Amino acid sequence: MRIIPPILLCILVGLMVGADMLLPLIRFDPPGLFWGGAAVVVLGVCIAGPAMLRFRRARTNFHTFKEPGVLVTDGPYAISRNPMYVGMVLAGLGAALITATLAGVILAAVYALVVRYWYIAYEERAMRRQFGERYDAYCRKVGRWLGRRRGVR
């Protein structure tokens, strides 16, 4: 069974809350950390949401393990090849800051690594199979996480 990224994020946030309640290990709770974490969660949602809507408008699949239908390169995808993942990773980091525990930070880091080395790697292979040189050209212009590539106009 393949767990899709938003479900895995929900599982990890649940584990963060559980670790916070049952096994906080190391807590750090400077003033404002809760609200800073909440702001990072909101930022993540504000990045992932429009990216998902752009996929819906293009009538393409956004399920990780299904074949890609359309190569979307505009909107949020003009500055990140993976804005939904950027948003979800930020939301996970924000949740970790809200819990203010080392366990939360470790779980957020694990989520980011799983996103990069499992989900994104899988999708990049599928995109190359489906779109070939068009996808490679897009990769040369737009970064995996954020930003345009240097030297590209």
Side-chain angles (χ1 to χ4, degrees), residues 121-140:
Y122 182 91
E123 288 183 6
E124 286 178 344
R125 288 189 302 273
M127 297 295 281
R128 277 198 175 83
R129 276 192 313 272
Q130 185 77 7
F131 302 109
E133 176 52 35
R134 281 183 33 215
Y135 181 69
D136 289 336
Y138 173 57
C139 290
R140 288 190 295 271

Side-chain angles (χ1 to χ4, degrees), residues 100-117:
T101 63
L102 179 60
V105 171
I106 290 169
L107 287 167
V110 166
Y111 181 72
L113 290 170
V114 168
V115 163
R116 167 57 186 93
Y117 291 103

